[in-house]
Amino acid sequence: MSRTSMAGARLRAASSGGNRWVVLIVLCISLLLVALDATVLHVAVPSVTQDLNPGAVQLLWIVDAYPLVCASLLILFGTLGDRVGRRRVLLFGYALFGLASAVAALATTPEILIGARALLGVGGAMIMPATLSLLRAVFPDRRERAVAIGIWTAVAAVGAAVGPVLGGFLVEHFWWGSVFLINIPLMAVILPLGRWLLPESKGSAEGPWDVLGALMAAAGVLGVVLGVKRLGAGEGVVGPGTLGPLCIGAALLVVFVRRQKRREHPLIDMRMFSRPTFTTAVGCIVLAMLALVGLELIAVQYLQLVLGLSPLETGLRLLPLTFAAMAAGATGSYTLRRIGPRRMVSYGFVLTAAAVLCLVAMGQHDKPWLLTGAFVLLGLGLQTTLFGAYESMLSEAPAESAGGAAAIGETSYQLGAGMGIALLGSVMNAAYAPALASVQGVPSGASAHAANSLGEAYEVAAGLGGPAGAALRSAARHAFVHGLHVTLVVSAGLLLLGALAALRLPRVMECGAPAACAAEVPAPRDRTRVEAESPA
């Protein structure tokens, strides 16, 4: 009883005065570390390939093990935080993240690196929903919470964009393991700082925690994403490595949903999905990441392998995206109040699609001004979309279910990212590989290896030498650029689909008075009345 009272007093203290902004800084630092780790490895992939010599599937797992494991465990740890305390789960996540970073930095085989990336995913799954649910608890006022979410999403974008720059610098001056080693001193600082500053926050603790349901959700998400990843690696839809995980994962998720609907005290309140705002916001997050994350990995390969930029130069080219995202995040609260969630998310999708289509003009030669302009539009559009979607989703969820709602949002983010890499990777491979099937003077075996990736094509071309090697290298470059253009068009189509989906969001930010902002979001029937009374 005394411990509960102390936690409540600590939360009230954090929610008052300037304390909540200090808490926000700590939460943003936590998120920054997780976001950095999601992209810091991208520019180090060529160095990892040269040092560890992983196969094509192993390389895909090195990149994707982190988001895959993280996505599958978000619901488990998000709902666990609602029960045992979000701060407690967050601190455990810090410790595991630091330990896994040390293992990854010192990995000597692809298998060890994949395992370490999976452990990083477990730590990330503890950290990500806890930061967002603590933010929901510390900022009960919706206007202030919108400002906080703007800062939170901007930090996520900064971490994702700064990752390649930092990774490029470290790879050029040290070795690829240093991209993980930097996490250790940061975690050594943030762990005691978080223990001292962060308030404890819990949701409803009524009834037992559904362990079986949490494991079902984890296995279901894992199966679905694994099946999609196998599909992205080139396996057929009917192959056992693809169809089996997809069917098992989908079946487990169906059983999980039915189980949650029957339970008196469910892990996830499925009634949230009956609210159009919540469901639409989650769908928009999935579509945004589906269209963009796979494209980002392909773009990094384009900058390094086609334009010949160094890892550091590649990271610096992505900086305009970072600054644009920061600007969109900083002004997101104002934009949301001015134009409302519907137009904010829709316009963000359209702006991002326009930026993606601008990149179709990229070819064999560098066009720095075109790249810079497109990346600025990309950062503005993506950050605007994610801000509006996250704010709408989190404000729609009741405070006692903040951990579950945050887990759903982060699962959508990670699921969309994993599926995007697989889907757009499949599109890229389908457009790239056929052009290398019959290159004059190149043996069929060499062509088959070159069709796996542009990096492998360069290695095969170097081994062949002479006119045949030069022909293969030229054909591979042209095929990659063609595949990039096709992938950009598909990505833009997904983004425009997101713009249409966002039309189901509310027209206005439902926060007519400060008192209303601090209260819980009204039930759907009450909100209809509020919308009717609000000016169009």
Side-chain angles (χ1 to χ4, degrees), residues 231-248:
L231 186 62
E235 296 190 17
V237 180
V238 297
T242 301
L243 190 61
L246 278 175
C247 292
I248 294 172

Side-chain angles (χ1 to χ4, degrees), residues 67-91:
L68 173 63
V69 173
C70 189
S72 64
L73 296 178
L74 284 166
I75 292 177
L76 189 154
F77 288 119
T79 56
L80 181 63
D82 285 341
R83 295 303 181 94
V84 305
R86 294 147 186 165
R87 172 177 168 269
R88 181 178 300 175
V89 172
L90 181 62
L91 295 179

Side-chain angles (χ1 to χ4, degrees), residues 349-350 353 357 491-501:
F349 270 121
V350 172
L357 290 176
S491 180
L494 292 171
L495 290 164
L496 293 176
L497 184 63
L500 293 176

Side-chain angles (χ1 to χ4, degrees), residues 387-411:
F387 175 90
Y390 266 111
E391 200 284 334
S392 298
M393 180 206 71
L394 199 60
S395 295
E396 189 74 3
E400 63 270 15
S401 300
I408 291 171
E410 293 300 329
T411 301

